[in-house]
Amino acid sequence: MKKLFFLFLILESAATFAQTATIIGTVVDARQQGVPFVTAMLLRTGDSTLAKAAVADASGVYSLVGVRAGTYRLTVSGVGFANWSSETIAVTDGQLITMPNVTLAEATKALKAVTVTARKPLVEMQSDKLVLNVQGSLTSAGSSALEILQKAPGVLLDPNDNLMVQGKNGVRVFIDGKPSPLSAADMGAYLRTLQASDIEAVEIITQPSARYDAQGNAGIINIRLKKNRNFGTNGSATVGFAQGKYYPKYNGSVSLNNRTKKLNLFMNYSQRNARDWSFVNFYRQQAGQFFDQRSETRLRSLNHTARAGADLFLSRTSTLGILLDGTLRDATSATLGRTPIGALGMSPTSLLIADNRNTSHRANGNANLNYRFVDTTGRELTVDADLGRFQSNSDAYQPNQYLNPLTNQILSERNYRMQTATNIRLRTLKADYSQKLAGGKLSAGFKLSSIQTDNGFDFFDIVDGTDRLNANRTNQFVYTENVNAAYGSFEKQQGKWKGQIGLRAEDTRSDGQLTSATRQADSRVTRHYLNLFPSAGLTYSANQNNQWALTFSRRIDRPSYQSLNPFESKIDELTYQKGNAFLRPQYTNTVQVSNTYKYKLTTSLSYSDTKDFFTEITDTTELNGDGRPRNFITTRNLANQRVLSVNVSYPFSIAKWWNIYASVSAYRSTNRANFGEGRTIGLTANVLSLYAQHTINLPNKWNLEVSGYYTSPSIWGGTFKNRRYWGSSVGVQRKVLADRGSLVLTVTDPFNSQRWRGISQFGGLYMDASGGYESRQVRVNFTYAFGSNQIKAARQRKTGAEDEKGRL
């Protein structure tokens, strides 16, 4: 710690001044005469905060000096004129950017434009990431975070709600810039409960720099939650209703903030109360028999999400913040399962009835203390300390009756109860420092993290209505992982070229210990390994409209505690899950070349090679007590995975009132493995993914949005080859109550097409799996904004209307 402190002091003392950019231009009216004394403001694209401002001279000439590298929007405003805003501007150090003349329209000719609240574009391409603005989509109202991610270019969901980016499934999910410790299954459940009304934007970073954790071979998805930064007291409230195939669903949220020059207080709360329906079918052939399992699940859940914090502005350069957030979820579900069983080519000889019931409770909480220092010389220091707690428990009742399908006579019966409890504790401390050095920028930092997971599994045999603990099937698995990291990076602009190089070192120490009545050779596995993760990038700005980039990164995916637990847990009567204590981390090298044309058309080509690629495999095992074969799910390392992907995205306008965003992603994925005894994997898939959104501005403050996506056959779970998958949605919006309110009506999946299906042939097991949920819904949402800014905007609209009336 002392060495790191002295390192920061050395870096600070070595600070030097480097070149910054300058933006100049002229503002004219319709007669091409200079407009004096208008205000030009440069806003950051990420959060629309003010970066620079200037007042034009008597000839309408403005100059913005000392602009740091980044992406911005230029806005121009003046008395008697309608506001003007530019497209995204990419700025690099040392540039002199001469903007085309800005022509301002008189307010009398643009009154309607002034009274309409602007909405951010759905997708923004920034220098190091893609930003999906949730408010840029009307149909996001009433949606979950998982549904929002389906709109993102290059992002796919497999049937288990696992995220894939550019054909790779090693995605690391961050919440407000902090990695989540949840497993893939728990993360999927969390994203289904997180409402779109709580989300400001989603950032997709496919080639993270050395500043980010190396975990995640497909990159990082950072979900930025809403945080109001407006001065005064402001807020908004949302209520919503949705009707699916069977059941209604309700949602609501409220956000508040109060900001003065010294303090910003903010809070958000949301709730979802819903009844949901889904189905899953598994047809399998194994050991000369067939099993045609069909099940439906009815789930009732109540979710609460709360977030509160404060930012104390200590000075013009320093900010101290605290943030508390938490999620509560209670759910009950009933699954009705029917499985005819028989010899291949024959009629069923037995029918398995499995009507399961499950109750669960989940509670997540996190506390963050942060400090940020930024001065005018380019020095920046951020420090974050986090404490997190994630708890879940469930109680599942699993009755199994085998009946004669002709007479309904009970042939045999076995009933079980399973209770699970998971407790995760998270502690992190990180610091990042950057400053100008030798005409470029030097960055360095460290991160200390510790995660402890305590997972208990109690198995009960139910005999004559009494629960009897089965010690041979009961276990406790405690897993501790400490990752200590440090990094350094340097970037510099030289003319039209910009280079960046970084190196991150991560030291990992893990300890997994299984406690059970059944002794196992792999009951305790400890590991210690040190890895280096280089990253580099080279950018060439051919001209103001054409930019090329070449990037490289090396990343890691560590196994989760669930995939390491070697104990066997029961999913249903014929399916088990077993971890792999000897599962190795997977390492991925990725190279990507990209081009951005006129800040709109973005094209990228990437290639990745993953060593020791791991994925879930469904395999066969011994017969159960009745002589019926069973299968189990486990995670294994394959030899490798290679993915070649192409991504193209383009926002454009057919007319002033008709905007379109379109993206095309294509990738080729190859999985190869040989486990011996006829268990081989050799799958290749050429996958095409399309997404398009049409936004149409209609008269009388109406807006229409139509969107759709399509994914061709792909690979899932290592051995499954999926069929095509597609969906669509349509929504209309009406501004009401002096534009303070917004009413949105949405129909999701009107063609009821969001049904998945995949086929797997591995070893001696053939499986045909399919499923879906209440994807076709009618949703109604109403949002009302209130506070100081809304009153000010209403007064401006009223004044503008009165001025217009006086002129007429």
Side-chain angles (χ1 to χ4, degrees), residues 452-515:
Q452 183 182 61
T453 303
D454 189 344
N455 187 72
F457 180 78
D458 294 333
F459 189 94
F460 299 87
D461 296 309
I462 301 178
V463 181
D464 298 328
T466 303
D467 292 355
R468 297 182 180 178
L469 182 67
N470 187 330
N472 291 327
R473 291 183 176 272
T474 296
N475 77 93
Q476 183 179 25
F477 185 66
V478 178
Y479 180 73
T480 302
E481 182 179 84
N482 296 310
V483 180
N484 300 322
Y487 76 90
S489 66
F490 182 76
E491 62 181 61
K492 185 175 181 179
Q493 176 86 24
Q494 191 70 39
K496 294 183 177 182
W497 294 88
K498 181 179 181 180
Q500 180 270 333
I501 189 169
L503 181 65
R504 186 179 184 90
E506 292 190 350
D507 180 79
T508 305
R509 299 172 185 265
S510 64
D511 184 359
Q513 184 169 359
L514 173 69
T515 303

Side-chain angles (χ1 to χ4, degrees), residues 229-303:
R229 301 176 178 86
N230 293 325
F231 280 93
T233 300
N234 303 278
S236 65
T238 299
V239 292
F241 168 81
Q243 179 64 51
K245 181 177 181 180
Y246 296 111
Y247 303 116
K249 308 148 206 319
Y250 307 91
N251 65 276
S253 66
V254 61
S255 66
L256 292 169
N257 91 294
N258 179 269
R259 180 172 179 177
T260 64
K261 292 183 178 180
K262 287 293 185 180
L263 181 66
N264 182 33
L265 301 174
F266 56 92
M267 64 82 63
N268 300 77
Y269 169 78
S270 64
Q271 182 192 85
R272 183 178 187 267
N273 190 344
R275 298 177 67 186
D276 298 293
W277 171 88
S278 62
F279 74 93
V280 175
N281 299 326
F282 285 102
Y283 174 82
R284 62 187 179 95
Q285 296 177 1
Q286 181 181 354
Q289 299 185 59
F290 72 85
F291 303 81
D292 191 6
Q293 178 182 340
R294 298 179 179 272
S295 62
E296 294 186 5
T297 299
R298 290 169 171 81
L299 170 71
R300 185 159 195 167
S301 62
L302 178 61
N303 307 280

Side-chain angles (χ1 to χ4, degrees), residues 16 128 139 146 181 294 346 399 428 449 462 519 631 648 683 685:
T16 61
D128 60 342
T139 55
L146 214 54
R294 298 179 179 272
M346 306 293 289
T428 64
S449 68
I462 301 178
R519 295 182 60 86
N631 59 79
V648 181
L683 292 179

Side-chain angles (χ1 to χ4, degrees), residues 5 85 226 543 559 674:
F5 177 74
S85 181
K226 285 184 177 178
N543 50 57
N674 188 347

Side-chain angles (χ1 to χ4, degrees), residues 391-394 419-423 454-458 476-477:
Q391 293 179 307
S392 67
N393 56 70
S394 67
Q419 296 177 345
T420 61
T422 300
N423 190 351
D454 189 344
N455 187 72
F457 180 78
D458 294 333
Q476 183 179 25
F477 185 66

